[in-house]
Amino acid sequence: MDPLLRSRADIDRLDKEFLRLLAERMHAVRAIGAHKGANPDAPLVDEAREREVLETWAREAEKLGLSSYFAGRVLREILNWSRRDQERFLDAHAKPASTAKAVRVAYQGVPACYSDLTITKVFATRDVARVERLGRKSFVAAMDALEAGEVDYALLPIENTIAGSINEVYDLLAKRTVTIVGEEVWPVEHCLVGVPGTVLEQVRTIRSHPVALQQCQRFLDGLVGVTAESWHDTAGAAESIATEKDARVAAIASEEAARQYGLGVIQREIADERVNLTRFLLIGRAPEPVDPRRPAKTSLVFAVNHRRGALLQCLAAFNDQGISLTKLESRPQPATPWEYVFYVDFEGHVTDARVEAALGALREHTNHLTILGSYPRRTESALERRQLPVLSADIEHLGIEPLGIELVEPLDDAHTLLATCPAEAKPAANPNLKLSSLKQPGQRTQVDVSGVVFGGERFVVIAGPCAVENRAQMLDAAAMAKAGGASMLRGGAFKPRTSPYAFQGLGFAGLELLVEAGHAYELPVVTEVLRVEDVEKVAETADMLQIGARNMQNFSLLREVGRARKPVLLKRGMSATIEELLLAAEYVMAGGNHRVVLCERGIRTFETATRNTLDISAIPVLRAKTHLPVIVDPSHAAGLRDLVVPLALAAAAVGADGVIIEAHPRPGEALCDKDQALTGDDLVKLFAQLKPIVEARGRTL
Ligand code: PEP
Ligand code: MN
């Protein structure tokens, strides 16, 4: 037998075995689910146990020569599924499988539209025997079917992360006597689909729902001589192509819709934004109980008294009870011009004591209040997504050797050493530092970069190469940064080089490689932007924009990043005073962008032993002057590998909020700043040595 065919046959056999084992595992998971269902006091998630399972899995994977990181990701997905699968045993309405009934669900659209696909996801873990789907022409028709009792549920989209709220559905929720019993999030992946065999050059007309067309605007703009045609929905557009069989007409729809209607995918990933999520609501006629162990959300609609400060008092009612709002939306009331109703989503269930108290207070300030429903929460913030446990195997797999040189004092001594750090001084008033200066002593702003928080409890480590050089280098660097415990990835795509003959960076191609590596290892990325005209485009994919030392006083660039919707890492100019650094931050903030992180990276002095001189005192000085987070770049300060770790430790000791470190998988081959690049082993050592110092400052790593 041909060896290739033999290997494929092996894969097929193993996949089958894999699935059989997965089914067996799921069976065991369900037995535990049944136990949790029968014992309301049993905790829903046993974090210690999950961690243990993850650790064992990573260890076993490594023994087999597998990457513990990727194997860990497979297990996390299985654990997610298991957790969801157990939900069927939890809610009081769940019945034993033998009595599970068939349900009828109405949606707007035709088979394989995004709503239809989401129905499959919603009911995958609900205890039903069969789901019958009824596609309706409009949201109103789906809602009519529900109210008339023709269906048990309606599933309607309520918002999209790009297009925003679906107002018609909001308005329907307020008017009808229905209740929200669930939510679900669907990741939208638009494809260009057409008659099988069609190539892009043949296409003259592209048809889809107006929102989908709008979400793929850049792709459409790049096509010459192609007209966009709006259609009632995405799957409907795909269906029409299948009927017409004209290769000159294509549709924007999901891959599932293409499959459903026998079409081919001409191009994938054509949307402007990588993340495109639609949130759907499952709507029923009566509330359904939610197990108190499940995180719940509640939606309501209210109209306020026509009184000054009324909305503020309404929102304070939630705040006073420590309840987080997850959404606030206002809609006009056509009958009473200039008066609005407000839709609010918040965390908690109507039966929670705190929620009851908040609703009591809220009612005092509202003309009208309707609870639209309490339901299990399916949305999570970027921050929560990043709070996955870090496996010690993730860190161990490079192998921590016993530390060579003792660069820090033992923990107890570190404590006494740090206890002598001077108290932070009183805020100094400078009328030009309107936004960046401290308003009261100890004020701290937290800057969230796609889930990584600067200025919070955690000390942030950013690591990565000086420059993006090629795909393999970048992927290896990301693996190294991850294994070394970093929570963000750096990499210069546009390099400010002293010599015009030095490597200038790969530009946007480099940015793509950086973003790809960041996604692969779940690390948000920071990259330098050099030109005003690049800011908007870099901000589309980078999680954080760096303004380099050489551009700290490039005021038009500062203004431009001030307009951007991404956080900014502002490096101190090599001959700039602290005051000038703060005024540069002020430029960015005055432009509307308040998410600024400052970076001390060494200044020019008469000393030549090091590339620059790390101004370590700048950190406590800045902390006394500004509420913005401050990090340190020991790599550019030192210019020499051996000095990077000690300076990073010093930064942590004087109260920096993090460090940005240059590291390269093969420093000897680095095209840029090779003498200061750490190796993977160095990073692991750095992490181990930082830990006691960071902890002595009352923070975590
Ligand atoms: C960099 O971080 O890649 C860099 C060039 O730093 P700086 O602007 O501080 O020299
Ligand atoms: Mn560099």
Side-chain angles (χ1 to χ4, degrees):
M1 196 186 202
D2 173 348
L4 186 67
L5 289 180
R6 198 167 42 232
S7 299
R8 290 207 168 127
D10 281 346
I11 287 179
D12 292 345
R13 178 178 51 77
L14 289 166
D15 279 351
K16 220 163 152 182
E17 182 64 5
F18 206 4
L19 283 173
R20 196 191 57 73
L21 288 171
L22 199 53
E24 210 174 294
R25 192 185 193 285
M26 213 43 111
H27 194 73
V29 163
R30 287 191 187 143
I32 296 173
H35 170 82
K36 289 178 185 167
N39 295 279
D41 295 332
L44 200 52
V45 187
D46 180 342
E47 279 176 15
R49 165 74 186 153
E50 272 197 14
R51 176 176 287 277
E52 189 187 308
V53 172
L54 277 159
E55 293 273 3
T56 315
W57 176 282
R59 253 194 324 273
E60 294 298 318
E62 269 179 16
K63 277 193 211 154
L64 296 169
L66 299 170
S67 146
S68 58
Y69 178 67
F70 284 105
R73 295 228 311 208
V74 171
L75 181 62
R76 283 194 176 119
E77 199 52 43
I78 294 176
L79 291 178
N80 274 341
W81 181 15
S82 302
R83 238 181 265 149
R84 275 182 84 136
D85 200 79
Q86 291 187 345
E87 288 167 6
R88 70 177 75 232
F89 299 98
L90 295 176
D91 303 329
H93 69 278
K95 302 195 178 61
S98 56
T99 64
K101 55 178 182 129
V103 293
R104 291 158 66 86
V105 188
Y107 64 97
Q108 185 271 322
V110 297
C113 69
Y114 291 110
S115 300
D116 185 28
L117 300 175
T118 308
I119 290 175
T120 310
K121 188 173 174 189
V122 170
F123 287 93
T125 54
R126 282 193 151 231
D127 209 25
V128 296
R130 198 163 37 83
V131 181
E132 201 181 315
R133 300 119 189 281
L134 290 89
R136 289 286 185 264
K137 275 220 159 56
S138 62
F139 296 139
V140 174
M143 206 65 120
D144 287 345
L146 176 64
E147 277 195 309
E150 289 165 34
V151 292
D152 304 291
Y153 300 104
L155 185 97
L156 302 179
I158 189 74
E159 62 176 315
N160 173 271
T161 51
I162 303 175
S165 292
I166 296 150
N167 293 328
E168 191 185 341
V169 176
Y170 267 115
D171 294 343
L172 278 171
L173 281 170
K175 281 186 216 129
R176 307 296 186 103
T177 44
V178 292
T179 174
I180 305 170
V181 297
E183 70 171 356
E184 192 56 85
V185 175
W186 184 266
V188 174
E189 286 164 20
H190 290 312
C191 300
L192 185 69
V193 308
V195 180
T198 306
V199 291
L200 187 55
E201 289 66 31
Q202 289 172 281
V203 176
R204 286 288 153 265
T205 304
I206 294 179
R207 170 182 290 175
S208 196
H209 190 277
V211 170
L213 292 170
Q214 185 197 326
Q215 292 177 348
C216 302
Q217 196 56 52
R218 256 202 308 281
F219 168 75
L220 294 172
D221 286 346
L223 304 175
V224 183
V226 173
T227 9
E229 187 177 278
S230 90
W231 209 256
H232 56 88
D233 76 14
T234 56
E239 188 184 26
S240 74
I241 307 287
T243 320
E244 292 169 23
K245 292 195 182 59
D246 180 349
R248 289 169 306 173
V249 190
I252 294 175
S254 67
E255 184 153 8
E256 288 87 350
R259 214 177 304 131
Q260 168 95 12
Y261 296 107
L263 300 177
V265 173
I266 304 170
Q267 194 164 323
R268 288 189 175 75
E269 293 183 19
I270 58 170
D272 295 352
E273 301 279 337
R274 191 180 56 85
V275 179
N276 181 353
L277 303 171
T278 300
R279 183 165 80 102
F280 289 86
L281 296 176
L282 183 68
I283 304 161
R285 281 185 298 274
E288 294 181 355
V290 179
D291 187 293
R293 290 168 292 180
R294 296 181 70 181
K297 226 157 109 172
T298 298
S299 298
L300 49 83
V301 52
F302 63 79
V304 294
N305 301 330
H306 215 64
R307 202 167 6 101
R308 190 156 57 97
L311 179 60
L312 188 63
Q313 283 168 321
C314 289
L315 299 183
F318 292 102
N319 188 48
D320 292 347
Q321 295 297 327
I323 295 171
S324 301
L325 299 190
T326 56
K327 187 157 200 266
L328 173 64
E329 180 81 34
S330 68
R331 292 283 302 139
Q333 305 187 84
T336 47
W338 321 123
E339 289 191 13
Y340 299 85
V341 291
F342 296 93
Y343 290 85
V344 168
D345 289 350
F346 59 89
E347 287 177 2
H349 193 277
V350 271
T351 56
D352 297 347
R354 282 179 315 134
V355 174
E356 276 180 17
L359 293 180
L362 183 60
R363 285 192 175 93
E364 290 175 24
H365 306 292
T366 50
N367 282 340
H368 172 96
L369 185 155
T370 312
I371 292 163
L372 299 173
S374 284
Y375 46 90
R377 176 164 72 100
R378 286 287 191 217
T379 49
E380 53 177 20
S381 63
L383 185 60
E384 289 171 298
R385 277 198 298 280
R386 299 241 174 244
Q387 278 170 349
L388 293 169
V390 176
L391 299 182
S392 62
D394 287 348
I395 294 166
E396 273 160 16
H397 96 261
L398 283 177
I400 306 183
E401 300 151 25
L403 305 182
I405 326 151
E406 267 295 317
L407 286 164
V408 281
E409 304 290 324
L411 182 59
D412 286 348
D413 292 348
H415 267 294
T416 20
L417 183 77
L418 299 174
T420 60
C421 281
E424 284 160 6
K426 282 213 173 61
N430 175 338
N432 286 318
L433 299 175
K434 292 186 201 309
L435 302 167
S436 60
S437 67
L438 276 189
K439 305 294 173 291
Q440 69 259 352
Q443 183 196 0
R444 289 281 155 253
T445 288
Q446 300 194 350
V447 173
D448 183 331
V449 182
S450 307
V452 173
V453 178
F454 290 78
E457 198 201 319
R458 254 177 103 171
F459 184 85
V460 177
V461 177
I462 308 174
C466 179
V468 181
E469 297 167 8
N470 56 60
R471 186 158 184 270
Q473 172 244 16
M474 211 47 240
L475 286 170
D476 290 350
M480 203 174 91
K482 185 85 184 186
S487 45
M488 272 185 70
L489 183 64
R490 63 154 286 149
F494 301 91
K495 293 303 305 174
R497 299 307 299 276
T498 306
S499 160
Y501 309 116
F503 174 59
Q504 303 285 311
L506 299 178
F508 284 106
L511 177 60
E512 256 182 64
L513 297 177
L514 173 70
V515 170
E516 182 196 357
H519 286 164
Y521 288 90
E522 292 171 341
L523 296 167
V525 301
V526 56
T527 200
E528 182 168 351
V529 55
L530 289 180
R531 305 190 311 168
V532 169
E533 56 269 42
D534 293 343
V535 170
E536 199 181 328
K537 191 154 174 219
V538 173
E540 273 166 28
T541 55
D543 299 283
M544 188 180 213
L545 308 173
Q546 174 175 321
I547 298 297
R550 290 155 194 81
N551 273 317
M552 192 206 83
Q553 288 190 318
N554 179 339
F555 300 117
S556 40
L557 189 59
L558 294 174
R559 281 191 201 283
E560 192 63 25
V561 295
R563 271 191 284 270
R565 295 293 170 91
K566 286 287 168 74
V568 172
L569 178 62
L570 178 62
K571 299 188 90 175
R572 179 177 177 186
M574 51 191 100
S575 53
T577 64
I578 290 173
E579 178 113 340
E580 285 165 344
L581 171 63
L582 289 173
L583 285 165
E586 199 70 28
Y587 261 93
V588 180
M589 298 175 85
N593 190 350
H594 291 191
R595 291 188 292 173
V596 179
V597 174
L598 304 173
C599 180
E600 160 58 38
R601 47 78 72 203
I603 48 173
R604 281 272 167 92
T605 66
F606 52 82
E607 183 53 71
T608 53
T610 47
R611 184 174 173 179
N612 292 284
T613 300
L614 180 63
D615 180 7
I616 199 77
S617 57
I619 292 93
V621 170
L622 280 166
R623 285 179 70 92
K625 286 182 183 289
T626 178
H627 53 90
L628 296 172
V630 183
I631 68 166
V632 168
D633 174 350
S635 307
H636 290 91
L640 297 167
R641 181 172 309 117
D642 290 349
L643 298 180
V644 172
V645 172
L647 294 186
L649 301 181
V654 291
D657 294 298
V659 284
I660 176 165
I661 307 277
E662 286 193 349
H664 195 288
R666 292 163 288 277
E669 295 170 19
L671 294 181
C672 195
D673 288 351
K674 63 158 78 139
D675 296 336
Q676 67 195 40
L678 295 195
T679 63
D681 283 352
D682 294 334
L683 273 185
V684 172
K685 281 183 203 156
L686 166 67
F687 207 81
Q689 296 188 14
L690 270 175
K691 200 167 181 310
I693 300 186
V694 165
E695 283 169 1
R697 293 276 336 200
R699 312 179 87 156
T700 54
L701 201 51

